Amino acid sequence: MGLKNGSSRVSLPTSRYRVPRSRQQIQKTFSNVKLTILCGFVTILVLRGTIGLGSITGSAPASEDQKVMEDIDRILREIRSDSEPEAEDSFTVLYHGNSNNHNWTYAEAVEAMNFSLGPKISDWDHQRQLSLTENPHFPNQVSGKPRILLLTGSPPNPCDNSLGDHYLLKSTKNKIDYCRLLGIEIIHSMASFDKDFTGYWVKLPIIRRLMLSHPEVEWIWWMDSDAIFTDMAFELPLEKYKDHNLIIHGYPNLLFEEHSWIALNDGIFLIRNCQWSFDLMDAWATMGPKGIVRDLAGKILTANLKGRPAFEADDQSALIYLLISQQDKWMDKVYIENSYYLHGFWSGLVDKYEEMMAKYHPGLGDDRWPFITHFVGCKPCGLYGDYPIERCLNSMERAFNFADNQILRLYGFAHEDLLNPKVKRVQGQTTDPLWVKEKHDMTAKIVID
Amino acid sequence: MGLKNGSSRVSLPTSRYRVPRSRQQIQKTFSNVKLTILCGFVTILVLRGTIGLGSITGSAPASEDQKVMEDIDRILREIRSDSEPEAEDSFTVLYHGNSNNHNWTYAEAVEAMNFSLGPKISDWDHQRQLSLTENPHFPNQVSGKPRILLLTGSPPNPCDNSLGDHYLLKSTKNKIDYCRLLGIEIIHSMASFDKDFTGYWVKLPIIRRLMLSHPEVEWIWWMDSDAIFTDMAFELPLEKYKDHNLIIHGYPNLLFEEHSWIALNDGIFLIRNCQWSFDLMDAWATMGPKGIVRDLAGKILTANLKGRPAFEADDQSALIYLLISQQDKWMDKVYIENSYYLHGFWSGLVDKYEEMMAKYHPGLGDDRWPFITHFVGCKPCGLYGDYPIERCLNSMERAFNFADNQILRLYGFAHEDLLNPKVKRVQGQTTDPLWVKEKHDMTAKIVID
């Protein structure tokens, strides 16, 4: 795919890692907005007074609707008001409060805070092997392939924009479809397991806990909720990874020559359930704890990684910095994948789906038929993406339907077009058993006309 | 459980089957509502003028928010305007247009319209057996148990209320969790496979198609999107059903003595992949085609089923009427289940969860720990439920968290309370493999304090 794609990513993480506003700020502006919008509409009401009056008279259904809408609005406000951020820890208060009295160094902060993902784990490979031997009825293989657990997540509260949850649902349906076809188990987490590892760091304590709880699982596959499987026939080349423990999309030259902060994308990666992974996550998590540690670590990352704006430490930058600074310690077990789109930046792909359908077929996974389309920078569940919200949502709808057509084809249907949620029949009806077709024809061309 | 619970259901289907408004009506009132609400707020604006003015000045973030919110609002309107209902068929136009010129009888209409779910299937058991024999690597059993496919569905477009999609997502996460633990595959359908079988009839053509496409599946398990697994340890007693083809929750005396239109609840049922099921669905579907057939069938159902209001034919009434009028033909293969909550009406259950946690444990499935809590009448994705929207949404949140605690316990966490999306640690951390606990302790008491 070369560097054209690589460089086309350069603008992304600025959005992905846009310094987040505090929840209160968002809520404050959020309620301001409501008033602002309403005031805007007052003019409209005056201009179209008659219509306005017509509807003010409040016919039974209208007033019923109004009550429901107002109830929902109030409930939303209540839910949001319940979700205030955790109280800040004492060091953070001290740091922000009197940062002039004492200039913490990162090392001091790390030592003082003494955070960790949990008790030190040192003998996992042996323990896990014992556990597997003792429980032969829960093998770490499924029909001859390593057992994979796909892990994704979304917030426990409703999205800030009313379409966000709809696309979270479609993204989850998309993952259900791929995982059903490939025999992969899914966990959709809505929980935060550690108050210190929040935001984009939330995945680390969850992955750690799942590795402990699922010794039968060989690979944990993290996938952001804004990533969509767009090649339902593509299978991970696991054989290729048998000597590696972390599989992540990226570009070695961006990593080791340019020290680019987007050399890797950790929105999607596979990590092996082994001692090495616990060690890596312990090292990786050092920069994660919310507050003084994450703030000071952010300065180190910005100072050392090309293109990184100034903001608190994020998981992706921290991983990149770790792998650059301790290359000898980790890299022999890290596989940097770019022969197919384990992470495919959406902007360069979503407009080419029709062309792909005309020329190619599922199962390729690369530019010709991307395995995963990742909506980095869109923040469909929030309000602050770096791309126009309409472009993002339309593109997600297209990606979802592009993938859904590969499922619907098995049943003789297809979306009328990639922006259309409705489906139409594309095959005559039949009375024969069809599953052989289903199991063996996933890479056939997709014809929707 | 007896008739107390049975009778407590009597109020439900009136809501579930409330005569639906046409999509246009809904959209029309919908836009009226917006204006109505806005006008309502004008008063507020005047009363709290200063605040209003303060926010009108439009600081950068506020105006940014406003743009996003307006974009989302516009996109929603566009999506909704795209989803107008299908054009009505000629007979329906004739029927509605000049119903006085010719009084169609139901029989005439059925014959004239000649609808069906698809080509007649007559030799399925033999064909399926052949197919299974030819594909021994796709057996109809999974680790010694019949293979089950759980089928649920939701609309392809965003919900009419902004919290609906959030609860659809939680309901889907809940199904993913139960099915992962029990080794059940899931299909979440957002498609309508037949323009004549719409609304609550949409499940029939999909089930039929899935039976054809998945001969390896022994049972198709339909579950409404407003039903939540609340007992993660309860396993279907399939051995009990080995001589039956349709498993549905209900009460024989309500069915055959009272001819009650809520004697059964078909929001959740299991149907075996066999010829008998194709025959049943062909007979069941006769009353389903949208328009004149469904309208006239509705009159027959209302005339014959106790308590049924006058409206077009619904799938549940049609099934009940079919089983009553052709008892000898079907009932020997129908298992009416009420020994546990295959369908548990939410209203009688959601307020007792704390009591259940204090007294009982998962795995019971009945009044003590309901297997499934079904939010009949809530219509979380719409605007027209028969219960206060706030009670519905709070109750769904409680049901989801009640179930989620049974999953989180495996990882040492629990919701702070049943209305709280946030979780807290309830177990000390560990470095031992935990899965044996996970696989064998699902019926332990749930302690969240």
Side-chain angles (χ1 to χ4, degrees), chain A residues 298-364:
Chain A
K299 299 181 195 301
I300 295 175
L301 295 174
T302 300
N304 288 277
L305 298 185
K306 180 179 172 190
R308 188 182 194 274
F311 70 105
E312 62 173 9
D314 60 279
D315 57 327
Q316 179 169 294
S317 302
L319 177 63
I320 289 171
Y321 182 70
L322 179 69
L323 297 181
I324 292 173
S325 52
Q326 300 179 15
Q327 181 172 359
D328 297 345
K329 183 169 181 185
W330 304 110
M331 282 312 294
D332 61 328
K333 291 296 182 185
V334 178
Y335 194 106
I336 299 180
E337 182 60 81
N338 56 33
S339 68
Y340 63 91
Y341 278 123
L342 181 60
H343 146 85
F345 175 44
W346 63 280
S347 179
L349 300 172
V350 291
D351 299 329
K352 299 185 187 144
Y353 289 145
E354 284 85 357
E355 185 188 339
M356 294 170 191
M357 289 194 291
K359 287 189 187 167
Y360 306 111
H361 59 82
L364 303 168

Side-chain angles (χ1 to χ4, degrees), chain B residues 104-381:
Chain B
W104 292 90
T105 66
Y106 172 67
E108 282 176 328
V110 169
E111 187 183 354
M113 305 294 280
N114 190 30
F115 281 119
S116 82
L117 285 174
K120 177 74 182 162
I121 290 166
S122 50
D123 190 25
W124 181 245
D125 294 338
H126 174 64
Q127 283 191 68
R128 183 181 172 224
Q129 194 47 58
L130 276 183
S131 179
L132 287 169
T133 316
E134 288 163 8
N135 300 273
H137 50 305
F138 296 122
N140 64 334
Q141 296 220 334
V142 186
S143 53
K145 292 172 188 165
R147 191 186 291 266
I148 302 175
L149 179 61
L150 184 107
L151 170 64
T152 188
S154 64
N157 289 317
C159 291
D160 290 332
N161 89 61
S162 52
L163 275 168
D165 285 292
H166 179 64
Y167 283 98
L168 282 177
L169 180 65
K170 285 192 163 171
S171 167
T172 297
K173 176 216 175 346
N174 167 269
K175 292 177 174 75
I176 292 174
D177 285 333
Y178 179 81
C179 291
R180 182 183 65 252
L181 287 172
L182 276 291
I184 293 171
E185 292 185 349
I186 308 181
I187 285 187
H188 183 124
S189 171
M190 292 182 169
S192 172
F193 279 8
D194 189 319
K195 70 173 177 50
D196 299 312
F197 295 90
T198 53
Y200 22 69
W201 287 93
V202 75
K203 62 187 80 155
L204 290 190
I206 297 176
I207 292 172
R208 183 182 190 276
R209 181 65 195 214
L210 289 181
M211 293 204 312
L212 281 167
S213 298
H214 297 276
E216 77 277 19
V217 168
E218 184 66 23
W219 291 102
I220 304 257
W221 183 355
W222 170 265
M223 186 159 163
D224 281 352
S225 62
D226 61 357
I228 290 180
F229 286 105
T230 37
D231 189 337
M232 293 295 185
F234 188 84
E235 219 169 322
L236 289 169
L238 291 177
E239 181 55 29
K240 193 165 93 173
Y241 306 140
K242 64 182 191 308
D243 298 327
H244 294 82
N245 299 331
L246 177 68
I247 318 303
I248 187 165
H249 192 278
Y251 299 91
N253 59 329
L254 283 180
L255 184 62
F256 295 114
E257 291 161 30
E258 302 193 23
H259 293 188
S260 163
W261 82 302
I262 53 158
L264 307 174
N265 184 295
D266 78 341
I268 300 122
F269 63 86
L270 285 97
I271 189 162
R272 191 185 295 275
N273 190 351
C274 65
Q275 180 62 44
W276 181 94
S277 301
F278 282 107
D279 297 339
L280 177 79
M281 288 196 292
D282 286 342
W284 185 0
T286 317
M287 290 184 161
K290 193 178 65 184
I292 180 172
V293 173
R294 197 186 289 181
D295 291 342
L296 291 172
K299 301 182 195 299
I300 295 175
L301 294 174
T302 300
N304 288 276
L305 297 185
K306 182 179 172 189
R308 187 182 194 274
F311 70 105
E312 62 173 9
D314 61 279
D315 58 328
Q316 180 168 294
S317 303
L319 177 63
I320 289 171
Y321 182 70
L322 179 68
L323 297 181
I324 292 174
S325 52
Q326 299 181 13
Q327 181 172 357
D328 298 345
K329 183 170 182 185
W330 304 110
M331 282 312 294
D332 62 327
K333 291 297 181 184
V334 177
Y335 194 106
I336 298 180
E337 183 59 81
N338 56 33
S339 67
Y340 63 90
Y341 278 124
L342 181 59
H343 145 87
F345 175 45
W346 63 282
S347 178
L349 300 172
V350 291
D351 299 328
K352 299 186 188 145
Y353 289 146
E354 284 84 357
E355 185 188 339
M356 294 169 191
M357 288 194 289
K359 288 188 189 168
Y360 306 110
H361 58 81
L364 302 168
D366 56 19
D367 295 280
R368 296 167 297 172
W369 203 282
F371 179 35
I372 291 172
T373 302
H374 188 187
F375 289 82
V376 179
C378 272
K379 293 219 180 305
C381 190

